[in-house]
Amino acid sequence: RETIHLTVRHGLSAVYVEKLDSLEPLRIHSRIGASVPLHCTAVGKILLAHLPAGEQTAVLNELVLRRFTENTVSNLQELQTQLARVRRDGFACDMEEHEPHIRCVAAPIWDHTGAVNASLSITGPAVRMATARIRQMASLIIEAGKKISWQLGYVEGAGQEEKKEKL
């Protein structure tokens, strides 16, 4: 019942490349081709969290941590803590960090090499996205991301030791 986005990273932004609109009368406004910040969106945090360490450091050093709402992360240490949590938990949240009254949960899409070059999200108005519902949707979006990843040739665990050594 909520809006689904597929995003990829383009420089210091995440770009919507596909979208399925909610059929609900109250829904979010977004469009394919629009870009959103990496540091305060669930889709952006997924893309940041899964960058190789050296590339992640370079991107983080270039980011301007602009505040969009009172919930926006405003310092690098806090963002790095969030990114570690994203890697550990397998999903990211935007709890009205980019836009007031909009919440989102996202998961990675892994390619055949084990890299994350895309993220998948569920976005909706905060009135329908209570914390408990976001937790429920997190498992759904993680599972959907895994299914897409498997279709792209991803094999869970394959190449992960190499990846850990690089990190």
Side-chain angles (χ1 to χ4, degrees), residues 64-103:
V64 176
L65 301 182
R66 178 177 162 217
R67 287 191 76 114
F68 291 88
T69 73
E70 63 185 26
N71 297 337
T72 304
V73 62
S74 60
N75 70 65
L76 190 56
Q77 185 176 1
E78 183 183 350
L79 179 57
Q80 289 171 319
T81 299
Q82 285 187 18
L83 297 179
R85 189 176 317 122
V86 168
R87 285 189 300 274
R88 183 192 72 216
D89 296 344
F91 68 94
C93 294
D94 168 353
M95 302 297 281
E96 301 178 65
E97 297 165 53
H98 182 234
E99 295 181 69
H101 314 294
I102 303 294
R103 293 184 175 177

Side-chain angles (χ1 to χ4, degrees), residues 28-72:
I28 66 145
H29 173 73
S30 62
R31 63 179 172 75
I32 293 174
S35 62
V36 294
L38 294 173
H39 73 285
C40 61
T41 58
V43 292
K45 290 180 211 175
I46 288 291
L47 297 169
L48 272 176
H50 293 285
L51 286 173
E55 188 176 357
Q56 184 187 75
T57 299
V59 170
L60 289 175
N61 287 334
E62 288 184 53
L63 284 179
V64 176
L65 301 182
R66 178 177 162 217
R67 287 191 76 114
F68 291 88
T69 73
E70 63 185 26
N71 297 337
T72 304

